[in-house]
Amino acid sequence: MKSVHDGRRSNAAPSPVTLPAIAHSEATIKSVGPALFRSEHARDFACLLDLDPEVVQWSSAPPMLSNGDDEYQLDFLVRTGEGGSFLIDVGQEEPSPPIWLSSAIESMGHRYRPVAMIDFADSFRLRNAKDLLRYGFYRPPLGDRIRLLAALDDMGSLTVAECMSAVREGRPMPTLAALILQGFLEIDLDETLIGPETQVRRIRG
């Protein structure tokens, strides 16, 4: 029987047990294929991927890597705007992969990135990403989108409260959140939780 390494475990010992698949409760913006995850930590990291401007797309079904009878399952295949690609390994603490893993990943033309979600335990970015992704399925009316973009062209920046006041056709917070998720608008996700005074700016691509 082949053994499957789980680098999330502190001893990184092989385990023949099939790893669970956890569904995503929020919308996904840049995912390719079904959004199913090995852990709650991977599901949280997917929220960060969706709000990362350098990420073009991600998949939660990366290839299983093997070395003889030893197999290792990663969490994500991520592609960036500059043409780079990463195989990402997510755990509460930094994963401990087998020594053969890095060379196997490099031979496929990808780079390896371990992620310790404990580093994001007090992260405003993660909390803000989850809040925004609650509205990821919402489609803002065209009139509201044009109205907000025109206002930001004139003013340079507006607060969240001012943007919400400018929404006429749709629902204010879902409209603003959807335009941020769709790459029309940007806000600072790292300094504090999104509030009425948070500054909103237009993204020009």
Side-chain angles (χ1 to χ4, degrees):
M1 177 183 296
K2 291 186 176 182
S3 7
V4 180
H5 269 282
D6 182 359
R8 297 168 299 168
R9 299 168 58 189
S10 59
N11 57 5
S15 170
V17 178
T18 301
L19 298 174
I22 299 172
H24 205 303
S25 57
E26 293 87 6
T28 57
I29 306 302
K30 301 177 182 179
S31 64
V32 177
L36 297 173
F37 308 99
R38 293 196 303 158
S39 68
E40 298 283 350
H41 298 302
R43 184 171 65 179
D44 284 350
F45 189 69
C47 297
L48 297 176
L49 291 175
D50 273 334
L51 271 294
D52 187 335
E54 296 184 1
V55 172
V56 173
Q57 65 180 40
W58 56 264
S59 167
S60 59
M64 176 80 79
L65 300 184
S66 62
N67 181 43
D69 288 337
D70 198 9
E71 294 183 331
Y72 194 92
Q73 182 64 59
L74 293 146
D75 291 287
F76 296 100
L77 172 58
V78 175
R79 300 190 184 280
T80 67
E82 297 182 351
S85 58
F86 297 83
L87 285 171
I88 297 183
D89 199 4
V90 181
Q92 179 179 7
E93 298 181 350
E94 185 168 323
S96 302
I99 58 174
W100 53 265
L101 188 70
S102 292
S103 59
I105 290 173
E106 290 174 3
S107 70
M108 299 172 65
H110 306 302
R111 284 180 283 176
Y112 174 67
R113 181 183 171 190
V115 172
M117 288 305 293
I118 195 171
D119 295 340
F120 299 95
D122 299 317
S123 165
F124 288 124
R125 173 169 284 266
L126 179 57
R127 294 170 67 184
N128 285 329
K130 286 184 171 184
D131 283 341
L132 291 171
L133 286 165
R134 291 179 55 201
Y135 305 107
F137 296 111
Y138 185 76
R139 295 184 64 182
L142 176 60
D144 285 332
R145 186 179 81 200
I146 292 173
R147 190 175 296 108
L148 278 172
L149 295 180
L152 286 164
D153 279 342
D154 289 341
M155 303 300 294
S157 68
L158 294 169
T159 66
V160 164
E162 290 168 335
C163 287
M164 291 176 65
S165 297
V167 174
R168 297 285 183 267
E169 301 172 41
R171 296 161 55 199
M173 192 65 241
T175 294
L176 180 58
L179 292 176
I180 293 170
L181 293 171
Q182 292 170 13
F184 290 101
L185 308 177
E186 64 179 352
I187 60 175
D188 191 315
L189 299 172
D190 297 305
E191 291 300 318
T192 188
L193 292 177
I194 299 168
E197 299 302 321
T198 299
Q199 293 293 308
V200 181
R201 295 176 176 81
R202 182 175 178 178
I203 295 176
R204 299 183 179 277

